[in-house]
Amino acid sequence: MITLALSKGRIFDETLPLLKAAGIEVLEDPEKSRKLILPTNQPNVRVVLVRASDVPTYVEYGGADLGVTGLDTLIEHGGQGLYQPLDLNIAKCRMSVAVRADYDYAAQVRTGARLKVATKYTAIARDFFATKGVHVDMIKLYGSMELAPLTGLADAIVDLVSTGNTLKANHLVEVERIMDISSRLVVNQAALKLKQAPIRAIIDAFAGAVKKD
Ligand code: PRP
Ligand code: MG
């Protein structure tokens, strides 16, 4: 049995065409069913639905043989024990720093002020500000980061930006782009050895179906 870990939403939806290229069709719609294990048209392949931030953990410990995860989640996890053969070029967005429109970020950085930064992505944020030489107090949040500068919880946020609509709706502006994000295929290294042929077949089919920019 080959188990593929996916998260609901954009990653699931954008992985379907890649699965199709590998001859795999998921037989149930996660938006309609409460099932967490979804069968496919291939009796030896199943999809498990996990929280996006749990995909690397499932694959690391062998709860799934493969998974699709955002680069953001992968960096925060650390990537240890994971073979990362492919950038799938799906679920694309960017990781950015944003502040209130009336906050003079450049001046704060220039004068060496300490920044209060709220984010779900503490590893990426820490690394980014350390490289810039900016001292930060990190505030860990689990969602709705945009609220932090509006309520005085933080001076800045580090968050994913896709269309920019959420920033705009909350009167925040993007002041730095930290990195481009897309989803990656991750593979359990033991599974790759033990189930080499079927896993290689999936990797190769995905590789052939990845859309280039
Ligand atoms: C993500 C992200 C931003 C927003 C970006 O949040 O954290 O808030 O989407 O998308 P946009 O630029 O197209 O507006 P999500 O809705 O996943 O919720 P969460 O942060 O509360 O988990
Ligand atoms: Mg959000």
Side-chain angles (χ1 to χ4, degrees), residues 64-115:
D65 301 307
L66 315 97
V68 176
T69 183
L71 178 61
D72 50 324
T73 307
L74 189 55
I75 294 175
E76 290 295 324
H77 167 269
Q80 61 277 10
L82 298 173
Y83 173 51
Q84 303 168 26
L86 282 179
D87 179 351
L88 300 174
N89 210 17
I90 59 170
K92 290 172 69 169
C93 54
R94 56 191 185 268
M95 186 70 72
S96 294
V97 181
V99 299
R100 281 168 59 140
D102 59 4
Y103 181 82
D104 194 344
Y105 174 80
Q108 297 294 319
V109 168
R110 197 168 50 238
T111 57
R114 235 186 138 77
L115 287 190

Short mmCIF file of all heavy atoms in Angstrom, two decimals, residues 64-115:
data_model
loop_
_atom_site.label_atom_id
_atom_site.label_comp_id
_atom_site.label_asym_id
_atom_site.label_seq_id
_atom_site.Cartn_x
_atom_site.Cartn_y
_atom_site.Cartn_z
N ALA A 64 2.74 8.30 6.43
CA ALA A 64 2.46 8.35 4.99
C ALA A 64 3.79 8.16 4.28
O ALA A 64 4.84 8.50 4.81
CB ALA A 64 1.84 9.70 4.61
N ASP A 65 3.73 7.60 3.08
CA ASP A 65 4.96 7.37 2.30
C ASP A 65 5.40 8.64 1.59
O ASP A 65 6.60 8.89 1.44
CB ASP A 65 4.73 6.27 1.26
CG ASP A 65 4.32 4.96 1.91
OD1 ASP A 65 5.05 4.51 2.81
OD2 ASP A 65 3.26 4.43 1.55
N LEU A 66 4.40 9.40 1.13
CA LEU A 66 4.67 10.64 0.42
C LEU A 66 3.69 11.71 0.91
O LEU A 66 2.65 11.38 1.48
CB LEU A 66 4.46 10.53 -1.09
CG LEU A 66 4.95 9.38 -1.93
CD1 LEU A 66 3.84 8.39 -2.12
CD2 LEU A 66 5.43 9.90 -3.26
N GLY A 67 4.02 12.95 0.59
CA GLY A 67 3.11 14.03 0.94
C GLY A 67 3.38 15.24 0.08
O GLY A 67 4.44 15.35 -0.55
N VAL A 68 2.40 16.14 0.06
CA VAL A 68 2.57 17.41 -0.64
C VAL A 68 2.44 18.51 0.41
O VAL A 68 1.46 18.57 1.14
CB VAL A 68 1.53 17.59 -1.76
CG1 VAL A 68 1.69 18.96 -2.40
CG2 VAL A 68 1.68 16.48 -2.81
N THR A 69 3.47 19.35 0.48
CA THR A 69 3.50 20.36 1.53
C THR A 69 4.10 21.66 1.01
O THR A 69 4.98 21.64 0.15
CB THR A 69 4.31 19.83 2.74
OG1 THR A 69 4.27 20.79 3.79
CG2 THR A 69 5.76 19.56 2.39
N GLY A 70 3.64 22.77 1.54
CA GLY A 70 4.17 24.08 1.16
C GLY A 70 5.61 24.23 1.64
O GLY A 70 5.98 23.69 2.69
N LEU A 71 6.41 24.98 0.88
CA LEU A 71 7.79 25.23 1.30
C LEU A 71 7.82 25.90 2.68
O LEU A 71 8.71 25.64 3.49
CB LEU A 71 8.49 26.12 0.26
CG LEU A 71 9.94 26.51 0.58
CD1 LEU A 71 10.84 25.28 0.69
CD2 LEU A 71 10.49 27.48 -0.45
N ASP A 72 6.84 26.75 2.96
CA ASP A 72 6.73 27.41 4.27
C ASP A 72 6.65 26.37 5.40
O ASP A 72 7.42 26.41 6.37
CB ASP A 72 5.49 28.32 4.29
CG ASP A 72 4.23 27.61 3.82
OD1 ASP A 72 4.31 26.78 2.90
OD2 ASP A 72 3.14 27.87 4.38
N THR A 73 5.76 25.41 5.23
CA THR A 73 5.56 24.36 6.23
C THR A 73 6.79 23.47 6.34
O THR A 73 7.19 23.06 7.43
CB THR A 73 4.34 23.50 5.82
OG1 THR A 73 3.24 24.38 5.61
CG2 THR A 73 3.99 22.47 6.88
N LEU A 74 7.41 23.21 5.20
CA LEU A 74 8.59 22.36 5.16
C LEU A 74 9.76 23.02 5.91
O LEU A 74 10.45 22.36 6.70
CB LEU A 74 8.96 22.11 3.69
CG LEU A 74 10.03 21.09 3.38
CD1 LEU A 74 9.71 19.74 4.02
CD2 LEU A 74 10.17 20.94 1.87
N ILE A 75 9.96 24.30 5.69
CA ILE A 75 11.05 25.00 6.39
C ILE A 75 10.77 25.04 7.89
O ILE A 75 11.67 24.80 8.71
CB ILE A 75 11.24 26.43 5.83
CG1 ILE A 75 11.74 26.37 4.38
CG2 ILE A 75 12.24 27.21 6.69
CD1 ILE A 75 11.84 27.72 3.70
N GLU A 76 9.54 25.32 8.26
CA GLU A 76 9.21 25.38 9.69
C GLU A 76 9.42 24.01 10.35
O GLU A 76 9.87 23.93 11.49
CB GLU A 76 7.77 25.86 9.89
CG GLU A 76 7.57 27.33 9.54
CD GLU A 76 8.34 28.30 10.44
OE1 GLU A 76 8.46 28.04 11.65
OE2 GLU A 76 8.83 29.32 9.92
N HIS A 77 9.10 22.95 9.64
CA HIS A 77 9.29 21.59 10.16
C HIS A 77 10.78 21.26 10.29
O HIS A 77 11.20 20.57 11.21
CB HIS A 77 8.60 20.59 9.22
CG HIS A 77 8.97 19.16 9.46
ND1 HIS A 77 10.02 18.55 8.81
CD2 HIS A 77 8.46 18.23 10.28
CE1 HIS A 77 10.13 17.30 9.22
NE2 HIS A 77 9.18 17.07 10.11
N GLY A 78 11.56 21.75 9.34
CA GLY A 78 13.00 21.49 9.35
C GLY A 78 13.41 20.53 8.24
O GLY A 78 14.57 20.51 7.84
N GLY A 79 12.48 19.72 7.75
CA GLY A 79 12.76 18.84 6.62
C GLY A 79 13.59 17.61 6.95
O GLY A 79 13.96 16.84 6.06
N GLN A 80 13.89 17.40 8.24
CA GLN A 80 14.74 16.27 8.58
C GLN A 80 14.07 14.93 8.22
O GLN A 80 12.88 14.74 8.43
CB GLN A 80 15.17 16.29 10.07
CG GLN A 80 14.07 16.20 11.09
CD GLN A 80 13.42 17.56 11.38
OE1 GLN A 80 13.67 18.53 10.69
NE2 GLN A 80 12.56 17.60 12.38
N GLY A 81 14.87 14.05 7.65
CA GLY A 81 14.37 12.72 7.30
C GLY A 81 13.51 12.69 6.05
O GLY A 81 12.95 11.65 5.72
N LEU A 82 13.39 13.81 5.36
CA LEU A 82 12.51 13.83 4.19
C LEU A 82 13.31 13.96 2.90
O LEU A 82 14.17 14.83 2.78
CB LEU A 82 11.53 15.02 4.27
CG LEU A 82 10.58 15.01 5.46
CD1 LEU A 82 9.80 16.33 5.50
CD2 LEU A 82 9.61 13.84 5.35
N TYR A 83 13.01 13.08 1.95
CA TYR A 83 13.56 13.23 0.60
C TYR A 83 12.65 14.20 -0.13
O TYR A 83 11.42 14.06 -0.08
CB TYR A 83 13.60 11.84 -0.05
CG TYR A 83 13.99 11.81 -1.51
CD1 TYR A 83 15.14 12.45 -1.97
CD2 TYR A 83 13.22 11.10 -2.42
CE1 TYR A 83 15.50 12.39 -3.31
CE2 TYR A 83 13.57 11.03 -3.76
CZ TYR A 83 14.70 11.69 -4.20
OH TYR A 83 15.04 11.63 -5.52
N GLN A 84 13.25 15.20 -0.76
CA GLN A 84 12.46 16.27 -1.38
C GLN A 84 12.76 16.34 -2.87
O GLN A 84 13.52 17.19 -3.32
CB GLN A 84 12.79 17.61 -0.71
CG GLN A 84 12.56 17.61 0.79
CD GLN A 84 13.17 18.82 1.49
OE1 GLN A 84 13.33 19.88 0.90
NE2 GLN A 84 13.51 18.67 2.75
N PRO A 85 12.18 15.42 -3.66
CA PRO A 85 12.61 15.32 -5.05
C PRO A 85 12.06 16.39 -5.99
O PRO A 85 12.63 16.62 -7.05
CB PRO A 85 12.11 13.94 -5.47
CG PRO A 85 10.91 13.70 -4.62
CD PRO A 85 11.20 14.37 -3.31
N LEU A 86 10.92 17.03 -5.63
CA LEU A 86 10.26 17.87 -6.63
C LEU A 86 9.62 19.14 -6.08
O LEU A 86 8.90 19.09 -5.07
CB LEU A 86 9.10 17.08 -7.29
CG LEU A 86 9.38 16.04 -8.35
CD1 LEU A 86 8.05 15.44 -8.78
CD2 LEU A 86 10.09 16.67 -9.54
N ASP A 87 9.87 20.23 -6.80
CA ASP A 87 9.05 21.43 -6.63
C ASP A 87 7.87 21.26 -7.57
O ASP A 87 8.04 21.17 -8.79
CB ASP A 87 9.88 22.66 -7.02
CG ASP A 87 9.10 23.96 -6.89
OD1 ASP A 87 7.86 23.91 -6.66
OD2 ASP A 87 9.73 25.02 -7.02
N LEU A 88 6.66 21.17 -7.03
CA LEU A 88 5.48 20.89 -7.85
C LEU A 88 4.92 22.15 -8.53
O LEU A 88 4.00 22.06 -9.34
CB LEU A 88 4.40 20.22 -7.00
CG LEU A 88 4.83 18.88 -6.37
CD1 LEU A 88 3.75 18.36 -5.43
CD2 LEU A 88 5.14 17.85 -7.45
N ASN A 89 5.46 23.31 -8.13
CA ASN A 89 5.05 24.58 -8.74
C ASN A 89 3.54 24.82 -8.63
O ASN A 89 2.93 25.40 -9.53
CB ASN A 89 5.51 24.63 -10.20
CG ASN A 89 5.80 26.05 -10.67
OD1 ASN A 89 5.95 26.95 -9.86
ND2 ASN A 89 5.84 26.24 -11.97
N ILE A 90 2.94 24.35 -7.54
CA ILE A 90 1.51 24.59 -7.28
C ILE A 90 1.35 25.36 -5.96
O ILE A 90 2.31 25.49 -5.20
CB ILE A 90 0.70 23.27 -7.20
CG1 ILE A 90 1.24 22.37 -6.08
CG2 ILE A 90 0.69 22.56 -8.54
CD1 ILE A 90 0.35 21.17 -5.79
N ALA A 91 0.14 25.82 -5.73
CA ALA A 91 -0.20 26.58 -4.50
C ALA A 91 0.84 27.69 -4.27
O ALA A 91 1.39 27.83 -3.18
CB ALA A 91 -0.30 25.64 -3.30
N LYS A 92 1.08 28.45 -5.32
CA LYS A 92 2.15 29.45 -5.25
C LYS A 92 1.70 30.72 -4.54
O LYS A 92 0.57 31.18 -4.71
CB LYS A 92 2.63 29.78 -6.66
CG LYS A 92 3.39 28.60 -7.28
CD LYS A 92 3.72 28.83 -8.71
CE LYS A 92 4.74 29.91 -8.88
NZ LYS A 92 5.24 29.93 -10.27
N CYS A 93 2.59 31.24 -3.74
CA CYS A 93 2.37 32.51 -3.07
C CYS A 93 3.73 33.01 -2.60
O CYS A 93 4.75 32.52 -3.08
CB CYS A 93 1.40 32.34 -1.90
SG CYS A 93 1.88 31.06 -0.73
N ARG A 94 3.76 33.96 -1.69
CA ARG A 94 5.04 34.44 -1.19
C ARG A 94 4.95 34.68 0.31
O ARG A 94 3.87 34.87 0.84
CB ARG A 94 5.47 35.72 -1.93
CG ARG A 94 4.44 36.82 -1.86
CD ARG A 94 4.80 37.94 -2.83
NE ARG A 94 3.89 39.08 -2.70
CZ ARG A 94 2.78 39.23 -3.42
NH1 ARG A 94 2.43 38.33 -4.31
NH2 ARG A 94 2.02 40.29 -3.23
N MET A 95 6.11 34.67 0.94
CA MET A 95 6.19 34.97 2.37
C MET A 95 6.69 36.40 2.47
O MET A 95 7.71 36.74 1.85
CB MET A 95 7.17 34.00 3.04
CG MET A 95 7.25 34.10 4.53
SD MET A 95 5.77 33.49 5.37
CE MET A 95 5.91 31.73 5.13
N SER A 96 5.94 37.21 3.20
CA SER A 96 6.28 38.64 3.24
C SER A 96 6.19 39.21 4.64
O SER A 96 5.58 38.63 5.54
CB SER A 96 5.33 39.42 2.33
OG SER A 96 5.53 39.06 0.98
N VAL A 97 6.78 40.39 4.78
CA VAL A 97 6.62 41.19 5.99
C VAL A 97 5.58 42.26 5.67
O VAL A 97 5.66 42.90 4.61
CB VAL A 97 7.93 41.88 6.40
CG1 VAL A 97 7.73 42.70 7.68
CG2 VAL A 97 9.06 40.87 6.58
N ALA A 98 4.61 42.45 6.55
CA ALA A 98 3.61 43.50 6.34
C ALA A 98 3.42 44.30 7.62
O ALA A 98 3.60 43.77 8.72
CB ALA A 98 2.28 42.89 5.89
N VAL A 99 3.07 45.57 7.44
CA VAL A 99 2.86 46.48 8.58
C VAL A 99 1.63 47.35 8.30
O VAL A 99 1.13 47.37 7.17
CB VAL A 99 4.09 47.40 8.80
CG1 VAL A 99 5.33 46.58 9.12
CG2 VAL A 99 4.33 48.30 7.58
N ARG A 100 1.19 48.07 9.31
CA ARG A 100 0.12 49.06 9.08
C ARG A 100 0.62 50.10 8.11
O ARG A 100 1.79 50.48 8.13
CB ARG A 100 -0.24 49.75 10.40
CG ARG A 100 -1.12 48.93 11.29
CD ARG A 100 -1.18 49.56 12.65
NE ARG A 100 -1.72 50.92 12.58
CZ ARG A 100 -2.56 51.40 13.48
NH1 ARG A 100 -2.97 50.65 14.49
NH2 ARG A 100 -2.99 52.65 13.37
N ALA A 101 -0.30 50.60 7.29
CA ALA A 101 0.08 51.59 6.26
C ALA A 101 0.73 52.82 6.89
O ALA A 101 1.56 53.48 6.26
CB ALA A 101 -1.14 51.97 5.44
N ASP A 102 0.38 53.13 8.14
CA ASP A 102 0.92 54.34 8.77
C ASP A 102 2.18 54.07 9.62
O ASP A 102 2.64 54.91 10.37
CB ASP A 102 -0.16 55.02 9.64
CG ASP A 102 -0.70 54.10 10.73
OD1 ASP A 102 -0.19 52.96 10.88
OD2 ASP A 102 -1.64 54.52 11.43
N TYR A 103 2.74 52.88 9.49
CA TYR A 103 3.93 52.52 10.28
C TYR A 103 5.17 52.67 9.40
O TYR A 103 5.23 52.10 8.31
CB TYR A 103 3.78 51.08 10.77
CG TYR A 103 4.93 50.57 11.61
CD1 TYR A 103 5.01 50.86 12.97
CD2 TYR A 103 5.93 49.77 11.05
CE1 TYR A 103 6.06 50.39 13.75
CE2 TYR A 103 6.98 49.28 11.82
CZ TYR A 103 7.04 49.59 13.16
OH TYR A 103 8.07 49.11 13.93
N ASP A 104 6.15 53.42 9.86
CA ASP A 104 7.34 53.68 9.05
C ASP A 104 8.38 52.58 9.30
O ASP A 104 9.32 52.74 10.08
CB ASP A 104 7.91 55.06 9.37
CG ASP A 104 8.95 55.50 8.32
OD1 ASP A 104 9.43 54.63 7.55
OD2 ASP A 104 9.26 56.70 8.28
N TYR A 105 8.18 51.47 8.62
CA TYR A 105 9.04 50.28 8.80
C TYR A 105 10.50 50.60 8.48
O TYR A 105 11.40 50.26 9.25
CB TYR A 105 8.52 49.18 7.88
CG TYR A 105 9.37 47.93 7.82
CD1 TYR A 105 9.29 46.97 8.83
CD2 TYR A 105 10.23 47.70 6.74
CE1 TYR A 105 10.06 45.80 8.77
CE2 TYR A 105 11.00 46.54 6.67
CZ TYR A 105 10.91 45.61 7.68
OH TYR A 105 11.66 44.46 7.62
N ALA A 106 10.73 51.30 7.36
CA ALA A 106 12.11 51.59 6.94
C ALA A 106 12.84 52.39 8.02
O ALA A 106 14.00 52.10 8.34
CB ALA A 106 12.10 52.35 5.62
N ALA A 107 12.15 53.36 8.60
CA ALA A 107 12.77 54.19 9.64
C ALA A 107 13.08 53.36 10.88
O ALA A 107 14.13 53.50 11.50
CB ALA A 107 11.85 55.36 9.99
N GLN A 108 12.17 52.47 11.23
CA GLN A 108 12.38 51.62 12.41
C GLN A 108 13.61 50.73 12.22
O GLN A 108 14.42 50.56 13.12
CB GLN A 108 11.14 50.75 12.67
CG GLN A 108 9.88 51.53 13.00
CD GLN A 108 9.98 52.27 14.32
OE1 GLN A 108 10.49 51.74 15.30
NE2 GLN A 108 9.49 53.50 14.34
N VAL A 109 13.72 50.17 11.00
CA VAL A 109 14.85 49.29 10.71
C VAL A 109 16.15 50.10 10.71
O VAL A 109 17.16 49.69 11.28
CB VAL A 109 14.63 48.56 9.36
CG1 VAL A 109 15.91 47.88 8.89
CG2 VAL A 109 13.50 47.55 9.49
N ARG A 110 16.09 51.27 10.08
CA ARG A 110 17.28 52.12 9.95
C ARG A 110 17.81 52.54 11.32
O ARG A 110 19.01 52.58 11.55
CB ARG A 110 16.93 53.36 9.11
CG ARG A 110 18.13 54.10 8.56
CD ARG A 110 17.71 55.11 7.51
NE ARG A 110 16.63 55.97 7.99
CZ ARG A 110 15.45 56.09 7.40
NH1 ARG A 110 15.17 55.42 6.32
NH2 ARG A 110 14.52 56.88 7.89
N THR A 111 16.93 52.82 12.25
CA THR A 111 17.36 53.33 13.55
C THR A 111 17.64 52.20 14.54
O THR A 111 17.91 52.44 15.70
CB THR A 111 16.31 54.28 14.15
OG1 THR A 111 15.06 53.55 14.23
CG2 THR A 111 16.11 55.50 13.28
N GLY A 112 17.53 50.96 14.06
CA GLY A 112 17.88 49.83 14.93
C GLY A 112 16.86 49.55 16.02
O GLY A 112 17.20 48.95 17.05
N ALA A 113 15.61 49.96 15.78
CA ALA A 113 14.56 49.70 16.78
C ALA A 113 14.29 48.20 16.89
O ALA A 113 14.55 47.44 15.95
CB ALA A 113 13.29 50.42 16.38
N ARG A 114 13.81 47.77 18.05
CA ARG A 114 13.38 46.38 18.24
C ARG A 114 11.98 46.24 17.68
O ARG A 114 11.11 47.04 18.01
CB ARG A 114 13.35 46.09 19.74
CG ARG A 114 14.18 44.91 20.14
CD ARG A 114 14.01 44.57 21.60
NE ARG A 114 13.92 43.12 21.70
CZ ARG A 114 14.98 42.33 21.62
NH1 ARG A 114 16.19 42.84 21.49
NH2 ARG A 114 14.83 41.03 21.67
N LEU A 115 11.77 45.23 16.84
CA LEU A 115 10.45 45.05 16.23
C LEU A 115 9.69 43.93 16.92
O LEU A 115 10.25 42.87 17.20
CB LEU A 115 10.59 44.64 14.76
CG LEU A 115 11.03 45.63 13.71
CD1 LEU A 115 10.84 45.01 12.33
CD2 LEU A 115 10.23 46.91 13.83
#
